[in-house]
């Protein structure tokens, strides 16, 4: 699949929600743990060799599952192939917790559901649609029916 | 670049979880827009008709509507969407910033389709959605905190967004908004610290409170643009687009 790699690389240079050096192990059997600078930008997780400016790779975080593994370790897998896991080793439980929380928020689909939820709640309290001010109240992607998807 | 590699040879291509990307393209998550568009192959290349599917901040394109795997994807972060002068009718462009950055020229099959796409694409970024979610989160906390039949508060920026009608406050409510406490340490870069104090009714299933963030160390400068200013920037973009649509509609 073709994709705009240059723009994705540029994205990896943007301010990050979270960035830290973690131990990372790929999903292939026999993968070795490597030190990587891991950086969360919008719904992408970039990983760099610790002394390089260009990322080794990126993970799009849609339809992913973040699972606690051993203490201080979590994994990311994808809904269509849950056994194929990317492992991340943190330096502390607290750091592990923070990353897992941050990754939960790092998907467009999660954001969309949050928006629909807040919109609905505000409407219940105030009787007004808060999206009208943005001019996006009619957009199909923000309708309540999206929650059932 | 690896030592000894021939000049001009690029370093290894960045890895991307393309299989997951392909699944995301064809899964049952909501589609934000879909339809045929003509895509210009390159600067002097011809247009190819492709089936486009916008989902989130990903613009996928397929050979046709029945294809099961996308030909490609345009990741829509850090781009602007503009109307363009082109030989092709109903053309618009997705433009990325930066030297040697690509501009994708696309053409719809009708004025309405073009407008629909421009609107959808200009609001497709994760950044935009996050901005809106934060705003709503703030509003919800405000109306719940006020207690009783509180009225919605106006948006924090001085100039109104297009379409925004100033919501009429009651005489008792002075509209200054709950503002971010100025004591907040600027530890984030471009992302305002979210309140973790949202009071949630038991029994409802809200999203969890956003995580506390850590400063990201070496990568990326600290961008301390306040939320209101980011909001205004997007508002401005929308205003410009609206102006263009309205003026283009006036022409015969």
């Amino acid at each position: 699949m073709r994709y705009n790699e240059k723009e994705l690389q540029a994205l990896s240079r943007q301010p990050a929600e979270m960035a830290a050096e973690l131990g990372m192990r790929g999903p292939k059997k026999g993968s070795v743990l490597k030190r990587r600078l891991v950086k969360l930008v919008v719904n992408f997780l970039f990983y760099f060799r610790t002394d390089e400016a260009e990322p080794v790779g990126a993970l799009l975080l849609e339809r992913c599952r973040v699972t606690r593994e051993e203490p201080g370790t979590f994994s990311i897998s994808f809904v269509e192939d849950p056994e194929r896991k990317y492992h991340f080793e943190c330096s502390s439980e607290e750091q592990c917790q923070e990353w897992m929380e941050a990754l939960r928020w790092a998907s467009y689909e999660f954001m969309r559901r949050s928006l629909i939820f807040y919109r609905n709640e505000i409407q219940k309290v105030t009787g007004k649609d808060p999206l009208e001010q943005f001019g996006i109240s009619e957009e199909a992607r923000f309708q309540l029916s999206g929650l059932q998807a | 670049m690896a030592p000894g590699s021939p000049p001009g040879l690029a370093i290894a291509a960045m890895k991307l979880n393309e299989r997951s990307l392909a699944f995301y393209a064809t899964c049952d998550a909501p589609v934000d827009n879909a339809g045929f568009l003509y895509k210009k192959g390159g600067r002097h290349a011809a247009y190819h008709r492709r089936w486009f599917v916008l989902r989130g901040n990903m613009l996928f394109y397929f050979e046709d509507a029945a294809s099961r795997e996308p030909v490609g994807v345009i990741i829509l972060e850090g781009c602007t969407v503009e109307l363009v002068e082109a030989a092709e009718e109903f053309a618009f462009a997705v433009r990325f910033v930066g030297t040697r950055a690509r501009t994708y020229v696309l053409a719809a099959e009708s004025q309405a389709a073009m407008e629909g796409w421009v609107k959808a694409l200009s609001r497709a970024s994760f950044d935009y959605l996050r901005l809106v979610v934060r705003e709503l989160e703030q509003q919800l906390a405000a109306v719940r905190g006020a207690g009783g039949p509180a009225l919605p508060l106006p948006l924090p920026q001085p100039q109104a967004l297009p379409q925004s009608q100033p919501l009429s406050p009651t005489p008792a409510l002075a509209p200054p908004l709950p503002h971010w406490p100025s004591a907040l340490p600027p530890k984030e870069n471009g992302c305002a610290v979210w309140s973790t104090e949202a009071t949630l009714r038991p029994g409802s299933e809200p999203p969890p409170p956003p995580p506390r963030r850590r400063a990201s160390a070496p990568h990326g400068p600290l961008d301390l643009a306040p939320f209101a200013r980011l909001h205004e920037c997007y508002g401005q973009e929308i205003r410009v687009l609206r102006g263009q649509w309205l003026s283009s509609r006036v022409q015969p």
Side-chain angles (χ1 to χ4, degrees):
Chain A
M1 197 191 322
R2 280 182 244 144
Y3 68 96
N4 46 335
E5 183 174 345
K6 224 181 267 158
E7 281 73 36
L8 192 57
Q9 282 171 336
L11 188 64
S12 77
R13 293 190 281 272
Q14 295 308 306
E17 279 76 65
M18 299 262 293
E21 196 180 302
L22 302 177
M24 181 177 172
R25 190 156 49 92
K28 289 206 187 104
K29 212 167 178 183
S31 283
V32 180
L33 192 77
K34 295 177 180 156
R35 300 302 299 172
R36 291 283 181 257
L37 176 66
V38 180
K39 193 173 171 188
L40 176 62
V41 183
V42 296
N43 53 348
F44 280 94
L45 191 69
F46 295 100
Y47 48 100
F48 302 71
R49 287 194 188 89
T50 51
D51 56 351
E52 286 181 4
E54 294 299 333
V56 172
L59 296 173
L60 173 69
L61 297 169
E62 298 299 328
R63 295 163 60 82
C64 77
R65 189 171 292 168
V66 182
T67 315
R68 159 86 57 173
E69 302 287 340
E70 300 90 50
T73 303
F74 66 90
S75 69
I76 297 176
S77 59
F78 295 90
V79 164
E80 74 277 355
D81 200 349
E83 290 314 304
R84 204 164 175 270
K85 293 179 172 183
Y86 295 82
H87 282 83
F88 296 88
E89 245 181 47
C90 303
S91 57
S92 70
E93 256 315 302
E94 198 203 346
Q95 188 185 45
C96 185
Q97 210 30 59
E98 276 192 73
W99 274 95
M100 289 182 70
E101 261 305 297
L103 289 165
R104 248 185 111 174
W105 279 82
S107 84
Y108 200 99
E109 297 308 315
F110 187 88
M111 279 287 170
R112 188 206 304 273
R113 287 198 300 275
S114 305
L115 183 147
I116 293 171
F117 170 81
Y118 287 128
R119 178 194 193 182
N120 196 43
E121 289 298 303
I122 290 171
Q123 210 153 5
K124 281 199 278 192
V125 175
T126 66
K128 297 226 180 206
D129 179 359
L131 292 191
E132 273 174 20
Q133 293 171 316
F134 293 87
I136 55 176
S137 53
E138 295 313 307
E139 291 192 6
R141 61 186 170 136
F142 298 136
Q143 301 314 314
L144 209 55
S145 51
L147 277 178
Q148 276 91 47
Chain B
M1 216 183 269
S5 55
L9 184 69
I11 50 175
M14 195 168 91
K15 290 187 218 172
L16 181 61
N17 53 331
E18 288 182 42
R19 204 156 36 146
S20 309
L21 202 53
F23 269 96
Y24 182 50
T26 51
C27 73
D28 53 7
V31 167
D32 298 315
N33 210 7
F36 282 105
L37 289 173
Y38 292 90
K39 178 175 174 289
K40 204 163 200 285
R43 204 180 325 185
H44 304 293
Y47 283 89
H48 288 116
R49 191 171 187 253
R50 297 267 183 258
W51 177 255
F52 277 77
V53 172
L54 172 65
R55 182 171 272 143
N57 56 348
M58 305 280 135
L59 182 61
F60 298 98
Y61 50 100
F62 300 76
E63 190 83 33
D64 56 59
S67 307
R68 277 191 298 160
E69 195 167 316
V71 171
V73 63
I74 302 170
I75 298 162
L76 298 168
E77 290 296 325
C79 61
T80 55
V81 185
E82 312 168 354
L83 303 173
V84 289
E85 283 297 320
E88 200 75 15
E89 258 194 311
F90 315 123
F92 59 98
V94 177
R95 191 183 301 275
F96 289 87
V97 192
T99 51
R100 293 180 289 141
R102 174 99 190 249
T103 294
Y104 294 87
V105 180
L106 303 167
E109 292 175 322
S110 72
Q111 179 72 16
M114 183 202 71
E115 288 180 9
W117 275 106
V118 171
K119 198 170 164 184
L121 292 173
S122 59
R123 291 168 174 148
S125 72
F126 187 92
D127 254 346
Y128 175 82
L129 186 60
R130 181 165 50 193
L131 220 80
V132 176
V133 169
R134 283 187 180 150
E135 175 65 27
L136 293 194
E137 197 189 355
Q138 205 186 347
Q139 282 188 25
L140 183 59
V143 298
R144 276 183 172 156
L151 284 180
L153 302 171
L155 290 175
Q157 67 274 19
Q159 288 140 338
L161 287 175
Q163 288 194 8
S164 80
Q165 301 298 317
L167 303 168
S168 46
T170 59
L173 265 181
L177 276 168
H179 64 281
W180 293 124
S182 53
L184 274 179
K187 38 182 184 162
E188 318 313 333
N189 33 5
C191 314
V193 174
W194 289 343
S195 157
T196 52
E197 299 156 356
T199 48
L200 304 165
R201 280 196 292 264
S204 63
E205 277 167 6
R212 284 174 299 119
R213 267 79 167 275
R214 284 251 208 95
S216 90
H219 279 234
L222 284 176
D223 177 15
L224 302 176
F227 178 82
R229 187 141 49 89
L230 289 168
H231 205 325
E232 173 60 14
C233 285
Y234 277 106
Q236 218 153 53
E237 205 177 288
I238 293 170
R239 267 196 291 275
V240 168
L241 279 171
R242 269 186 70 81
Q244 286 174 343
W245 298 332
L246 290 173
S247 58
S248 68
R249 239 181 281 199
V250 166
Q251 285 151 19

